[in-house]
Amino acid sequence: KGNAYGHGIEEYVPLAEAEGVDHFSVYSADEAFRVFEVKKANTEIMIIGSGNIVHNLRLAKFGSADTSPYDWASEFDAKVAELILSRSHEKLIDYKQFGEAAKLSVPTPEHYLPLLYTLALQEKSEEVLFFNEGIDFGSGGMRSLIVS
């Protein structure tokens, strides 16, 4: 929840840590920075990026008996997953290089960009775990990931 700790986050974090809290979830880079500035060394911060790798509602198969993924959606989702696992983040930035599959999967970038923001924070020691893989209604990629 955005701004869950209220406007006194700098006061809240040390109080919560004194009670044994060692993990804070934040909703923005600003909130993460404010927690980082006052937290103990062993306290973790979780940053959530929310979006879709494949997101084309105009071509979604709503109300159709066949909701299987389009070939282009599966192709792009698999390519992005491969690049994430190989840490080829720079190739993910220029996603349009992947042609028609990319064009159809990411007709506008606002649902794709949170992936790039999240991966930009990946440390060398951190791995990626995929969960909730799949494409709904033919064109809605639900692949989610944890970087830790």
Side-chain angles (χ1 to χ4, degrees):
K1 177 181 173 190
N3 200 21
Y5 308 114
H7 297 288
I9 195 166
E10 291 82 2
E11 293 80 26
Y12 177 80
V13 169
L15 292 171
E17 287 176 323
E19 296 300 319
V21 174
D22 63 358
H23 177 193
F24 294 90
S25 300
V26 298
Y27 82 102
S28 70
D30 176 64
E31 192 171 67
F33 180 76
R34 291 171 58 202
V35 171
F36 182 80
E37 289 290 300
V38 298
K39 74 175 188 67
K40 293 179 181 175
N42 64 335
T43 296
E44 299 285 329
I45 300 173
M46 180 172 69
I47 300 173
I48 298 174
S50 177
N52 292 88
I53 293 171
V54 176
H55 189 272
N56 189 329
L57 293 181
R58 290 188 178 143
L59 297 178
K61 299 177 183 179
F62 297 126
S64 173
D66 174 19
T67 60
S68 62
Y70 290 106
D71 290 342
W72 52 263
S74 295
E75 175 188 335
F76 186 72
D77 182 69
K79 182 65 175 178
V80 170
E82 171 192 321
L83 294 172
I84 290 169
L85 292 175
S86 67
R87 296 178 182 252
S88 299
H89 299 164
E90 68 284 347
K91 291 180 182 176
L92 292 167
I93 294 168
D94 185 23
Y95 63 90
K96 293 178 183 179
Q97 69 179 307
F98 302 115
E100 193 68 13
K103 181 180 176 183
L104 291 168
S105 296
V106 187
T108 58
E110 67 274 4
H111 296 280
Y112 181 80
L113 293 175
L115 171 68
L116 302 181
Y117 305 148
T118 302
L119 292 174
L121 298 170
Q122 184 180 10
E123 300 285 340
K124 289 182 180 174
S125 63
E126 294 179 319
E127 298 296 324
V128 172
L129 169 70
F130 292 126
F131 69 99
N132 198 31
E133 298 173 47
I135 298 173
D136 292 341
F137 301 107
S139 62
M142 303 311 293
R143 179 182 299 278
S144 301
L145 55 97
I146 297 172
V147 180
S148 65

